[in-house]
Amino acid sequence: MAKHEFVEQKTEELIAPIIEAHHFELVDVEYVKEGSMKYLRVYIDKEGGITVDDCEVISREFNDVLDREDYVDEAYVFEVSSPGLGRPLKKDKDFARSLGDEVEVRLFKALNKKKEYTGILKSYDEQTVTITTEDEVDVVFERASIALIRLAFDF
């Protein structure tokens, strides 16, 4: 298991009870390098949206756990955040919640000479995602070929 996977998995394990106690949802955990810095980010959500105060509560409580457990062996910045409007769909629960919603799909390689699609999320399984385009055409994507899938939003 890669170091970032270990840190993400351990963080999910340790932070889940804190998040559940506050009736929030754990959306994602990521341990990434940006520039010369490492970041451990936890994304949380709740019905009606997350506030800065919600993020602060989780951050304060989990900082004690991070100090006690000391499982990250390098310098990093810990952040708790809302996943935001453009959050990617990663887990099955994200796809389930978004069935019937308009999504944007970006592919690693072009399919039918296109790398970007928009449509209504029709279905998903372990291997594929199906959307219905504006032209009422169902397009099936291999999940492994999807670089990014997220809710579409118009301003």
Side-chain angles (χ1 to χ4, degrees):
M1 176 183 301
K3 183 191 294 190
H4 75 94
E5 291 172 327
F6 167 77
V7 171
E8 291 169 355
Q9 185 177 32
K10 185 76 171 172
T11 300
E12 278 192 39
E13 218 174 87
L14 293 170
I15 203 166
I18 295 169
I19 290 172
E20 289 169 11
H22 289 279
H23 308 288
F24 299 157
E25 174 192 354
L26 177 60
V27 174
D28 200 10
V29 172
E30 65 179 7
Y31 184 60
V32 294
K33 183 175 182 179
E34 293 178 3
S36 62
M37 291 295 301
K38 292 271 190 158
Y39 292 88
L40 175 57
R41 291 192 181 109
V42 173
Y43 296 96
I44 60 175
D45 206 358
K46 71 176 180 187
E47 191 70 35
I50 286 293
T51 67
V52 172
D53 291 339
D54 296 332
C55 293
E56 183 181 352
V57 165
I58 299 301
S59 181
R60 285 179 192 252
E61 287 187 34
F62 196 63
N63 269 319
D64 292 340
V65 175
L66 285 170
D67 291 343
R68 184 179 66 243
E69 296 290 327
D70 196 27
Y71 58 93
V72 184
D73 61 359
E74 54 197 344
Y76 63 95
V77 175
F78 176 59
E79 299 176 342
V80 178
S81 177
S82 161
L85 284 176
R87 86 184 201 200
L89 307 181
K90 291 185 175 183
K91 300 178 180 177
D92 283 347
K93 66 181 178 180
D94 300 328
F95 286 97
R97 179 180 34 243
S98 301
L99 282 171
D101 291 337
E102 187 175 26
V103 295
E104 298 174 353
V105 179
R106 292 191 191 144
L107 303 174
F108 290 113
K109 289 183 176 181
L111 173 69
N112 302 323
K113 299 182 182 178
K114 285 176 60 176
K115 287 181 86 173
E116 294 186 13
Y117 289 81
T118 302
I120 303 301
L121 180 59
K122 182 177 180 180
S123 64
Y124 69 94
D125 60 32
E126 286 183 20
Q127 306 299 320
T128 64
V129 172
T130 303
I131 67 169
T132 303
T133 65
E134 198 174 70
D135 305 332
E136 301 294 320
V137 175
D138 285 352
V139 182
V140 179
F141 305 99
E142 293 294 321
R143 277 175 85 158
S145 70
I146 298 173
L148 173 72
I149 182 169
R150 67 180 177 194
L151 292 177
F153 50 94
D154 295 318
F155 290 101

